[in-house]
């Protein structure tokens, strides 16, 4: 039986399932029961398509009269308007109507862009997420956030649009480079501090197995991460409150990505370092204590992620973070840890934020 676990996502706008398992891509049952249409469009990139495209295309061909393919350039630096435009060009040239099913096969970059195209083409068409990175399986494919980057800010142009189904085939992780696996671990680690202290304990105990690609450990981590994300998204689909906790580490992280130029640090690397900074800031504000910040830094480091922030002048950090979507009236708001398993939005004085970054940069234990 290829499905190991099924996680339901129920939001006010849509209900769907996350299928987690092995040998899912070619299994006919994976693709049964999706919206009917004259055609389906597979969106991927050349690298991922070379590994998994043929299996998905032939499985789709059993359900859709026509299956076409569009390969996007690979990389975060291509998560932009010109690349998005190529998706619309393809859909129009292929005569796609408003029932056409889009299938996003790849990591978060392919998923976010395909989702945004699905949200806006003819004011909305259905799509399926087939995440092939660990990061996409535990986070980006779930919850309906879709976006492209703007040179001034990460994920600034986008829409909420839930997929019809998420197909997380753990077998695809076998070809993932170790650096990308580590990037995915960042988003797994995130769920512990914000929502489930016991899961953080589990991660700490199983980190070596996860980093080594142990199938059983990864299956549990993907499942638990999806369960937590499904619960949070179900309670607050459009981020009017609780969903913001999923952004733990992201205010610092997005500043790193935009500040250094997209693609220099991987998203997961920036989030890993961002979580360490956010935990230090939590301690500076008297929320979670220094010991927790040190513990989290140790976990992030063991996951193979950077904990020392890149060199950027404090005004640059603060300017980038003021563009964050959680900022209100120019005031930056950070997701901070109140105690392990509980997080909330807090403001912090600029000089305190600058001191936290400076201290982490100078910390001899940082790498
Ligand atoms: P990515 O999509 O760039 O993929 C990373 C690299 O791995 C790429 O080179 C890709 O071609 C390659 N790859 C993908 N699957 C592979 C496989 N099975 N084997 C070998 N190589 C493979 O990066 P990512 O980390 O998956 O996603 C990061 C993006 O996700 C960022 O743009 C981030 O903003 C976004 N994101 C979105 C959400 C959301 O809720 N929508 C959440 C988190 C992150
Ligand atoms: N990755 C953040 C969110 O989905 O809200």
């Amino acid at each position: 039986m290829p499905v190991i676990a099924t996680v339901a996502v129920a939001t006010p706008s849509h209900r769907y399932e996350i299928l987690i398992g092995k040998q899912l891509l070619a299994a006919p049952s994976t693709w049964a029961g999706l919206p009917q249409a004259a055609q389906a469009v597979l969106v991927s990139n050349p690298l991922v398509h070379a590994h998994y495209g043929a299996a998905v295309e032939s499985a789709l061909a059993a359900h859709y009269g026509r299956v076409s393919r569009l390969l996007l350039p690979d990389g975060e630096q291509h998560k932009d308007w010109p690349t998005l435009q190529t998706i619309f060009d393809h859909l129009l040239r292929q005569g796609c109507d408003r029932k056409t099913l889009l299938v996003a096969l790849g990591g978060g970059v392919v998923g976010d862009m395909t989702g945004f195209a699905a949200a806006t083409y003819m004011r909305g068409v259905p799509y399926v997420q087939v995440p092939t990175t660990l990061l996409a399986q535990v986070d980006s494919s779930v919850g309906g956030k879709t976006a492209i980057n703007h040179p001034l800010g990460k994920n600034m142009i986008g829409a909420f649009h839930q997929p019809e189904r998420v197909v997380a085939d753990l077998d695809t992780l076998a070809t993932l480079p170790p650096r990308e696996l580590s990037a995915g671990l960042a988003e797994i680690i995130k769920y512990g501090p914000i929502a489930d202290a016991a899961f953080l304990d589990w991660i700490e105990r199983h980190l070596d197995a996860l980093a080594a690609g142990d199938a059983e450990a990864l299956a549990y981590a993907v499942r638990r991460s999806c369960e937590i994300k499904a619960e949070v998204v179900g309670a607050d689909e459009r981020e009017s409150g609780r969903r913001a906790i999923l952004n733990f580490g992201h205010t610092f992280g997005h500043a790193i990505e935009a500040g250094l130029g997209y693609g220099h640090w991987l998203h997961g690397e920036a989030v890993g370092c961002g979580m360490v900074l956010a935990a230090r800031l939590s301690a500076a504000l008297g929320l979670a204590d220094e010991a927790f910040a040190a513990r989290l830094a140790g976990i992030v480091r063991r996951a193979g992620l950077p904990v020392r922030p890149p060199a950027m002048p404090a005004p640059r950090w603060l300017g980038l973070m003021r563009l964050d979507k959680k900022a209100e009236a120019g005031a930056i708001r950070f997701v901070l840890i109140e105690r392990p398993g509980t997080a909330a939005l807090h403001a912090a004085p600029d000089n305190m934020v600058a001191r936290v970054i400076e201290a982490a940069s100078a910390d001899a234990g940082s790498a």
Side-chain angles (χ1 to χ4, degrees), residues 45 74 76 79 107-109 112 132-133 140 145 154 172 175:
N45 71 35
D74 192 0
E76 185 74 38
K79 191 176 154 184
V109 169
D112 277 15
T132 61
T133 62
S140 64
K145 273 191 182 176
K154 174 91 179 146
T172 62
T175 53

Side-chain angles (χ1 to χ4, degrees), residues 76-77 149 151 154 254-266 312 316 320:
E76 185 74 38
Q77 68 277 26
N149 298 326
K154 174 91 179 146
H254 286 168
I256 293 171
E257 288 188 86
L260 298 185
Y262 300 115
H264 287 275
W265 280 36
L266 300 181
M312 279 197 286
R316 174 93 171 123
L320 286 163

Side-chain angles (χ1 to χ4, degrees), residues 59-80:
L60 285 172
H63 295 271
Y64 298 90
R66 222 169 119 209
V67 178
S68 66
R69 169 199 313 162
L70 174 66
L71 301 185
L72 307 177
D74 192 0
E76 185 74 38
Q77 68 277 26
H78 298 293
K79 191 176 154 184
D80 58 8

Side-chain angles (χ1 to χ4, degrees), residues 191-204 295 339-342:
Y191 291 111
I194 62 169
D196 186 347
F199 185 43
L200 186 63
D201 297 343
W202 182 92
I203 292 166
E204 208 168 15
R295 178 185 171 206
R339 60 180 182 281
T342 305

